[in-house]
Amino acid sequence: MWAWFHKWSSPRWFYQLSGTLLPWLAVISLAALIVGVAWGLMFVPPDYKQGNSFRIIYIHVPAAAVAMAGYLLMATAGAISLIWRIKLADMVLKCAAPIGAALTFLALVTGAIWGKPTWGTWWVWDARITSVLVLFFLYIGIIALYEAFDNKEAAGRASAILALVGAVNIPIIYWSVEWWYSLHQPASISFTGESSIHPQMLRPLLLTITGFYCFFGWVLLLKVRNEILHRERSTRWVRDLILSR
C-alpha cells in the first residue's frame, strides 16, 4: 500500500499515468453531459409543482455536488501536504481551487435562477444558500492566499491549513436543511433509502452528475500536469520530454 501511495506521489509517474486517463475522462464527461442535459431538458416531463423551471437541476445539482466534493479533495490534499510533505498534494490543492470556485459560482447563479420562479426572489439568506456562499469565499480565499506569498512552500502550507479549517463548512452545507428552518428543499437523491425524485427525472440527473465529476477530474488533471511541468522544468525528465516533442 505504501509503495502504491509513494508511486502516486511522484510527479513524473503521475504525469505519465494521467496522460492515459485524460482521453477517457474527456469522452465520458462530454458524452454524459450532452446526453444527460439533452434528456433532462427535452424529454423529461414537467414537474407537477414547478413546471419546467425544475429542469435547471440538471446543472445546479451536479455543480453543487462536485463543488463540495472538490473542497473535500482539497482538504485531503492539504492534510497529505502538511503531514507527509508531498509536493504533488500541494499541486492538487492549488489546481483544484479555481475549478471548485467556478463550480460553486455556477451553483449559486443557477440556484438564484431557480429560486426566482419558485420562491419569488433571486436570493434569500437561507442556511443552505448562505453556507454555499461561504464555500465560494473559501475557494476564493485559498486562491488569494496562495498568490499572496512569494514563497510557494509557505503559500502551500497556509492554503492547506485554510482548506482543512474550511472543511467544517461541508457538513454544514449538507445538513443545513435538516438542522435549520430552510426554504431550500431537502436532498432528492438518497443512497440509504428511497429517493424522492421520480426515476424518469433521476436517470438523466445521475448522468449529468457523472459528467460533472468526470469533467472536474479531466480539467484538474490538465491543470496539475501543467503545474508539474512548471515546477519540474529544471529536471532532466521534463527537459527530455520537451525535446522529444
Side-chain angles (χ1 to χ4, degrees), residues 4 15-16 19 34 39 52 75 94 97 100-101 111 128-129 134 145 166 182 187 197 214 231:
W4 177 86
Y15 186 90
Q16 294 170 344
I34 291 170
W39 188 355
N52 285 315
K94 178 188 176 184
R128 170 68 61 82
I129 300 171
V134 171
L145 187 61
S182 175
I197 185 171
C214 291
R231 295 198 190 188

Side-chain angles (χ1 to χ4, degrees), residues 1-194:
M1 177 180 176
W2 284 110
W4 177 86
F5 183 77
H6 284 289
K7 193 175 184 180
W8 263 99
S9 67
S10 165
R12 180 179 181 179
W13 192 84
F14 181 90
Y15 186 90
Q16 294 170 344
L17 179 65
S18 61
T20 63
L21 296 176
L22 282 174
W24 292 100
L25 287 173
V27 170
I28 294 171
S29 64
L30 291 176
L33 286 173
I34 291 170
V35 174
V37 171
W39 188 355
L41 293 181
M42 295 186 290
F43 299 104
V44 171
D47 183 75
Y48 77 103
K49 283 186 178 179
Q50 301 180 47
N52 285 315
S53 66
F54 93 97
R55 298 182 192 278
I56 204 165
I57 67 170
Y58 298 109
I59 303 296
H60 173 73
V61 172
V66 180
M68 290 191 292
Y71 196 91
L72 288 176
L73 173 66
M74 283 203 322
T76 303
I80 293 172
S81 176
L82 288 171
I83 296 169
W84 289 289
R85 298 288 194 272
I86 293 176
K87 56 185 176 181
L88 183 61
D90 177 58
M91 297 182 206
V92 170
L93 191 158
K94 178 188 176 184
C95 294
I99 310 171
L103 288 172
T104 309
F105 181 76
L106 179 61
L108 288 168
V109 170
T110 52
I113 295 171
W114 191 5
K116 180 60 176 176
T118 305
W119 302 328
T121 182
W122 298 101
W123 182 268
V124 291
W125 291 102
D126 174 89
R128 170 68 61 82
I129 300 171
T130 304
S131 54
V132 172
L133 180 63
V134 171
L135 177 65
F136 177 69
F137 288 146
L138 284 168
Y139 271 122
I140 297 300
I142 289 171
I143 296 170
L145 187 61
Y146 202 96
E147 296 301 324
F149 286 83
D150 292 328
N151 185 328
K152 295 308 176 186
E153 185 176 347
R157 288 197 300 270
S159 300
I161 292 170
L162 178 56
L164 286 169
V165 172
V168 71
N169 188 50
I170 300 302
I172 292 175
I173 295 173
Y174 187 81
W175 294 107
S176 57
V177 178
E178 308 294 336
W179 290 345
W180 296 287
Y181 172 76
S182 175
L183 286 174
H184 199 287
Q185 68 185 56
S188 300
I189 302 175
S190 174
F191 296 102
T192 56
E194 187 177 352

